[in-house]
Amino acid sequence: MWYLGVDLGGTKILTAVVDETGQVAARVRAPTPQTGPAAVVEAIAATAQQALEAAGLPRGAVRAAGVGAPGPADPVTGTVFSPPNLPGWGDVPLADLLRARLEVPVAVENDANAAALGEHWVGAGRGVDDLLYITVGTGIGGGLILRGQLYTGTSGCAGEVGHMVIVPDGPRCACGRQGCLEAVASGPAIARAARAALEAGRPSVLSAVAAEELDAHAVARAAVEGDPLAREVFARAARYLGLAVANLVNLLNPAMVIIGGGVARAGDLLLAPVRRIVDAEAFARPAAAVRIVPAALGADAGALGAVAAARQRLA
């Protein structure tokens, strides 16, 4: 039995052909069209066809498709609501549009929720019934698996970890509020903090990095090499993330917190201080019970989680 898993982002589409055990037979990446939903649906259809050809499978081999989409999504209707990273979108019935184009049943899930499902199915959280997944990248998102099931809340909006206010009256977030975790610990937030320190005259090896290349990865590299400014910037972001995780550990008492996303590729530079802060700030019993681990699925998490959603809802 074969499935299509689609990770739809603001800049890229990743479509994978996946079997019922979570093995990826082929994957195809393409840029996300910036001209509206119709162009995105056509791009997904094209990547699906390319992935099937790469896997040596006919179109009729696919039982269903799943899509992880940015922004709020209604998993019942398959509607995506005005995703901020997809220009020209309002409330889009993405499942219906793709069902007509791909001619298979389609499930739609929020992208962070999809990644949580993927890690729970075949990743770091396999066999763990209570876990929190956090992705730290261009934004910060989250997904909750409670009692073995994805928890989405009354309105489907649960898991918005990135918009917990961590620094009252702090930097303005893209959501319009101030001091959200995303505004102080995401990849762009790390880059902004480094840039501000350089503009204030702080010495750093980062001063030799071209402005367009000064991102969180550059800051992480400099921190690993021992640059004091880079280490300070990264440590501050890790502290904010650690405080958020400590609060969530107290609230949810999960067995595991999985941290993924591009910034998390910094490894123990990020995870070690988060673990220390949770040990220091969370209550002793939930802190002792939780494991804080890196995500295992890398760039495939969203596509695999979309397949997990399709298998659960469309089986």
Side-chain angles (χ1 to χ4, degrees):
M1 194 68 65
W2 296 95
Y3 297 84
L4 291 170
V6 181
D7 184 6
L8 171 61
T11 59
K12 70 99 176 67
I13 295 166
L14 170 65
T15 299
V17 177
V18 181
D19 73 11
E20 58 189 3
T21 69
Q23 295 298 307
V24 176
R27 58 179 68 77
V28 172
R29 291 176 176 82
T32 302
Q34 304 297 307
T35 52
V40 169
V41 167
E42 288 305 311
I44 290 173
T47 58
Q49 184 59 39
Q50 292 164 18
L52 286 168
E53 290 172 359
L57 293 169
R59 189 169 177 176
V62 175
R63 181 179 185 185
V67 182
D74 183 337
V76 176
T77 65
T79 300
V80 178
F81 301 106
S82 302
N85 294 327
L86 293 173
W89 288 50
D91 294 351
V92 176
L94 185 59
D96 289 342
L97 294 173
L98 281 171
R99 188 181 302 116
R101 186 66 179 81
L102 298 175
E103 299 179 337
V104 295
V106 177
V108 172
E109 185 55 82
N110 165 269
D111 52 1
N113 284 345
L117 284 170
E119 292 288 345
H120 180 250
W121 180 30
V122 290
R126 187 187 308 204
V128 179
D129 283 344
D130 294 285
L131 66 83
L132 166 65
Y133 171 83
I134 301 175
T135 178
V136 186
T138 303
I140 294 180
L144 303 171
I145 305 290
L146 302 178
R147 297 295 186 263
Q149 300 295 320
L150 179 68
Y151 179 77
T152 58
T154 300
S155 304
C157 300
E160 288 290 352
V161 174
H163 299 289
M164 297 170 58
V165 174
I166 297 296
V167 183
D169 302 320
R172 182 75 61 183
C173 182
C175 75
R177 301 160 72 213
Q178 286 181 267
C180 293
L181 180 63
E182 185 171 298
V184 295
S186 65
I190 290 169
R192 282 194 301 271
R195 194 173 298 115
L198 291 173
E199 290 172 353
R202 295 279 303 278
S204 170
V205 297
L206 291 170
S207 60
V209 177
E212 64 275 11
E213 296 176 0
L214 182 52
D215 57 12
H217 301 301
V219 178
R221 286 193 298 271
V224 169
E225 293 167 2
D227 181 72
L229 184 147
R231 291 181 70 85
E232 176 186 313
V233 167
F234 222 91
R236 185 184 306 119
R239 174 164 176 76
Y240 291 140
L241 180 61
L243 289 171
V245 172
N247 287 329
L248 291 164
V249 165
N250 280 346
L251 178 67
L252 298 170
N253 191 193
M256 180 177 287
V257 175
I258 301 171
I259 300 180
V263 175
R265 290 201 295 268
D268 276 347
L269 185 67
L270 182 71
L271 293 180
V274 167
R275 293 184 184 113
R276 286 196 300 270
I277 291 160
V278 169
D279 284 343
E281 302 293 342
F283 287 136
R285 284 181 63 81
V290 71
R291 286 185 291 151
I292 300 172
V293 303
L297 299 180
D300 286 338
L304 286 166
V307 169
R311 291 176 72 247
Q312 289 177 9
R313 295 179 195 146
L314 305 174

